Amino acid sequence: MTTALSPSSDGTILLAAVAPAVPTPPGIGEETERQLNSARPASAALVAPPYDVVGTVCDSARVVLYTANSDSQIATKSLTALRDFARAQGWTIVHELYDLAPLDTPRRHRAAWCTVERALHAGEANGVVAPAEQEIAWNPGDRPALRVWLLGIPAFAVFPQVGQRRAVHEHNEAGADTAPSAAGAPVDREWFRSYRLDDVASLRRVRSDALTYLTVLGWPGDIVTAVEVLARVACNAVVHAQPTDESDAHMDVLLAVTEDDELLIDVRDPSPEFRDSGAAINGEKGRGLREVRLLGADVTWSLAEDGRSKTVRARLVPGEVPV
């Protein structure tokens, strides 16, 4: 049975003998069919693991870390996260590789991925760890072929950032470690951080962090568009929500991906006022939210229960980017 990865109640990652189902593409051999069947759960009572696994994770795993991105900084950060993950499992890291290329670049045109293939075929490594399967096979129709190829070597693949049923939380600049909930949406995974309102540099950090963590969250939509939407909503907060008493104020940013792959972008600021909100949201007043709507986002806003702050939410769905 395939070995999968599962977090214990105290957050420690343990090995568990469960595995996600692997679809069987047509026209494969009997031996490969048997291996694919062995990767399916033996009982419906088994709970699917929070990480995608293809193949069998052996005790003496030697792995190649791999990611692909058009931004070298994001790729480097992804490799750092993968390194920490692999070391936590006690695996030996053979290579750390990334392709500086769009995700839809075919594997045969990726120099780093070709190195991964050679390492697996030569037995130098027996597994690959990547943030998500889509970073290796962007086209869903190509993923069964990737899995069959891995099983035929044989080798395994682990995708630790897919299917996570927990939030990606970080301590914010104010020292808090809890995130506001995205009530009313079936949230699958999320990320939260606070930024100073009186620091224009915060907007640069918002953009940089959003690029990184939308990739980490594995949202399948247009990440560049999502970053632009967040940047405009955050800019509105910096411009319009500054406190009059010059107090140390923050805005909270929450990125949440629902089970239907919708992206919820929440920006909470300390000003409960939203003058001419209807006109602004409809694009009849000001530029910021009008541009957000032109980028394809639905915009709403709400007051906090205590009436001391408000949250502006932009909702995006994967699909074509409006021209």
Side-chain angles (χ1 to χ4, degrees):
M1 180 174 290
T2 299
T3 301
L5 300 160
S6 178
S8 65
S9 58
D10 62 357
T12 303
I13 297 178
L14 305 173
L15 294 178
V18 291
V22 179
T24 305
I28 64 174
E30 293 182 1
E31 176 62 20
T32 303
E33 167 70 14
R34 183 189 64 78
Q35 295 183 58
L36 286 171
N37 284 334
S38 70
R40 297 189 177 99
S43 169
L46 290 176
V47 178
Y51 305 101
D52 274 3
V53 182
V54 177
T56 301
V57 180
C58 59
D59 293 333
S60 57
R62 303 181 309 280
V63 299
V64 179
L65 310 184
Y66 175 80
T67 187
N69 203 286
S70 298
D71 189 309
S72 60
Q73 291 185 343
I74 295 176
T76 300
K77 290 181 179 179
S78 294
L79 284 179
T80 299
L82 294 177
R83 184 186 312 123
D84 293 341
F85 173 83
R87 286 176 176 172
Q89 317 316 313
W91 298 341
T92 299
I93 299 173
V94 177
H95 294 296
E96 298 183 13
L97 304 169
Y98 71 84
D99 278 301
L100 201 61
L103 293 181
D104 58 356
T105 303
R107 292 194 296 281
R108 65 182 180 275
H109 295 157
R110 302 185 186 189
W113 176 254
C114 291
T115 301
V116 174
E117 291 184 347
R118 288 194 294 269
L120 294 176
H121 277 300
E124 185 180 0
N126 52 22
V128 58
V129 183
E133 192 174 20
Q134 68 185 35
E135 292 203 16
I136 303 174
W138 175 254
N139 187 338
D142 190 32
R143 292 168 197 170
L146 171 65
R147 299 170 191 176
V148 170
W149 173 77
L150 285 165
L151 293 172
I153 292 176
F156 69 88
V158 172
F159 308 112
Q161 292 164 357
V162 173
Q164 297 185 21
R165 303 291 173 173
R166 60 183 176 83
V168 182
H169 286 170
E170 291 199 1
H171 289 279
N172 60 38
E173 296 175 9
D177 59 0
T178 58
S181 64
V187 173
D188 182 65
R189 51 204 184 274
E190 62 185 19
W191 171 82
F192 168 81
R193 179 174 284 177
S194 286
Y195 300 86
R196 292 176 60 92
L197 267 181
D198 60 354
D199 186 359
V200 178
S202 291
L203 294 177
R204 291 194 295 271
R205 288 194 292 271
V206 166
R207 283 179 173 273
S208 175
D209 290 344
L211 275 171
T212 298
Y213 287 100
L214 284 170
T215 302
V216 168
L217 291 172
W219 185 56
D222 189 283
I223 290 179
V224 173
T225 297
V227 170
E228 291 302 319
V229 168
L230 171 59
R232 283 159 174 77
V233 178
C235 183
N236 265 14
V238 170
V239 173
H240 300 293
Q242 292 285 353
T244 57
D245 58 2
E246 299 184 358
S247 60
D248 186 16
H250 291 76
M251 62 178 169
D252 298 327
V253 173
L254 174 70
L255 302 177
V257 180
T258 72
E259 293 176 357
D260 294 330
D261 284 333
E262 290 184 347
L263 176 64
L264 306 179
I265 301 173
D266 287 357
V267 176
R268 184 175 62 187
D269 64 59
S271 172
E273 295 185 0
F274 196 164
R275 296 179 181 177
D276 300 322
S277 59
I281 289 176
N282 291 329
E284 300 166 0
K285 182 177 181 179
R287 295 175 49 191
L289 295 184
R290 180 181 63 186
E291 292 175 352
V292 167
R293 289 173 60 89
L294 290 174
L295 287 167
D298 293 328
V299 183
T300 58
W301 76 285
S302 60
L303 278 174
E305 291 183 1
D306 60 8
R308 297 181 179 179
S309 63
K310 69 175 179 292
T311 297
V312 177
R313 167 173 290 182
R315 183 180 66 89
L316 283 168
V317 296
E320 295 184 1
V321 179
V323 179

